[in-house]
Amino acid sequence: MKKLIRVGHGFDAHRLVEGQVLVLGGVEIPHHQGLHGHSDADVLIHAICDALLGASALGDIGTLFPDTDDRNRNRNSREFLVEVYRLLQSHAMEIVNVDVTLVAQEPTLAPFVATMRSKLPSDLELDQSSGNVHANTSDGRGFTCGGGGLGVNAVVIV
């Protein structure tokens, strides 16, 4: 049987609001605002989930974990990631690589990138060289301009 290589792309964005904790990649980031969402609004993990589901043609995060289901309210998104990973395993799919780009004008994320990067392998049973997280600013343009929100692009190979 020929082994297929599949590429998936995921994107997620949430606005920043007062009174929420900012969590990215399972890491709490000290900031006066957090992301608005039904779960913990971890856009990094949501984008990875969508990329994995897209590569495997198994749906999307909104279908598997709808915001209309109270079981997902304030839920830790790392739980979503583990469930998506198990779903891929049940379809005999193996994750080869995960690459994530965070886009935020503020807060400055560079000091937290290494910690975010270190959490991915444990959730997805990857070696350290197979998961990457990097952060960019939006150069003062678009949705993330002025600290209005955060966006994430994730690309995976399965």
Side-chain angles (χ1 to χ4, degrees):
M1 177 184 210
K2 183 177 173 184
K3 208 173 195 181
L4 293 177
I5 296 174
R6 299 170 178 225
V7 176
H9 175 261
F11 173 78
D12 197 22
H14 287 263
R15 62 187 165 96
L16 286 162
V17 295
E18 297 293 334
Q20 296 289 90
V21 175
L22 179 57
V23 178
L24 295 170
V27 177
E28 194 170 311
I29 310 293
H31 191 58
H32 67 280
Q33 294 178 309
L35 293 169
H36 180 266
H38 188 72
S39 66
D40 64 5
D42 189 330
V43 291
L44 187 146
I45 289 179
H46 294 181
I48 293 171
C49 287
D50 264 343
L52 292 169
L53 291 165
S56 59
L58 292 171
D60 61 65
I61 191 171
T63 301
L64 288 180
F65 310 106
D67 62 6
T68 55
D69 187 339
D70 279 340
R71 291 177 295 177
N72 297 323
R73 182 173 299 286
N74 299 319
R75 191 167 170 199
N76 184 329
S77 293
R78 287 180 76 188
E79 294 174 18
F80 297 160
L81 188 60
V82 169
E83 284 189 43
V84 168
Y85 176 57
R86 287 185 186 139
L87 181 61
L88 265 68
Q89 285 181 311
S90 73
H91 285 82
M93 294 190 184
E94 178 184 343
I95 300 169
V96 176
N97 188 60
V98 175
D99 185 41
V100 180
T101 304
L102 286 154
V103 182
Q105 195 66 38
E106 62 175 62
T108 300
L109 298 174
F112 307 99
V113 166
T115 305
M116 289 181 230
R117 188 182 301 139
S118 71
K119 288 186 176 288
L120 281 179
S122 64
D123 291 336
L124 300 174
E125 297 180 15
L126 296 171
D127 63 64
Q128 282 296 132
S129 67
S130 296
N132 191 41
V133 175
H134 42 105
N136 289 311
T137 69
S138 56
D139 199 24
R141 291 174 168 62
F143 170 71
T144 63
C145 176
L150 297 173
V152 177
N153 283 292
V155 178
V156 301
I157 299 172
V158 297

